Amino acid sequence: MQSILFVCLGNICRSPTAEAVFRHLAAAEGLAVACDSAGTGGWHAGEPPHPPMIAAAARRGYDLAPLRARQLHRNDFARFGRILAMDRQNLRDIRRIDPGGGATSGLFLDHAPGCGFTEVPDPWYSGDFDQTLDLVEAACRGLIADLRAG
Ligand code: 4NP
């Protein structure tokens, strides 16, 4: 089965949103793809997503509440086929610990070429949780179409 790991900095805003939205949309389309999320940093490990992120996602029907943050680990490169980064700093950090020979890494928003952004701005700083959801939904739809196309 194909497998995707979504990665941001803290694993409490952007990447858990990507995980939940992707799981929801893939299930609705009958697409069997395993997914998870992680942060390049470990400060929030074990915590649920940021409460305003949970609330904004819930308003669109996505349940982030059961998720718990964890830090990206070298083993993830063998466990997942693709690792998708929310921004370029995440991608640099992912590639710094990549042991090689496993997952391919890239930017999540490469799957949403018309969205006007190449990185998902961090709502931890911007406070714009709906922007996160808009961009994540667009990229998940594009990702699903790209997976279907092979
Ligand atoms: P995320 O947002 O990377 O989208 O989960 C952040 C959450 C927490 C922190 C930074 C970004 N932090 O510095 O604690």
Side-chain angles (χ1 to χ4, degrees):
M1 193 193 296
Q2 297 191 81
S3 55
I4 300 174
L5 182 66
F6 300 101
V7 173
C8 63
L9 176 59
N11 195 212
I12 58 168
C13 294
R14 295 166 294 172
S15 64
T17 301
E19 176 187 349
V21 170
F22 181 80
R23 190 167 286 139
H24 185 98
L25 296 180
E29 299 229 358
L31 193 66
V33 178
C35 72
D36 193 11
S37 64
T40 57
W43 313 283
H44 296 281
E47 295 177 15
H50 194 34
M53 190 73 253
I54 294 177
R59 287 193 289 274
R60 298 194 193 190
Y62 307 113
D63 186 11
L64 270 57
L67 302 178
R68 294 294 177 269
R70 72 172 181 90
Q71 188 168 14
L72 178 67
H73 188 273
R74 285 167 59 90
N75 292 349
D76 287 317
F77 293 85
R79 290 179 55 208
F80 294 91
R82 293 180 191 223
I83 299 183
L84 293 177
M86 297 298 127
D87 63 36
R88 288 188 178 79
Q89 184 59 54
N90 302 150
L91 189 56
R92 278 192 291 273
D93 291 338
I94 289 164
R95 290 182 172 168
R96 195 166 37 78
I97 71 157
D98 185 351
T104 52
S105 54
L107 282 175
F108 182 44
L109 288 189
D110 283 355
H111 296 282
C115 75
F117 290 78
T118 56
E119 309 177 282
V120 184
D122 197 333
W124 179 261
Y125 303 109
S126 72
D128 193 344
F129 299 95
D130 277 302
Q131 177 189 57
T132 305
L133 282 153
D134 290 341
L135 294 172
V136 165
E137 285 179 330
C140 283
R141 290 201 183 92
L143 175 58
I144 287 169
D146 291 342
L147 290 169
R148 282 207 185 288

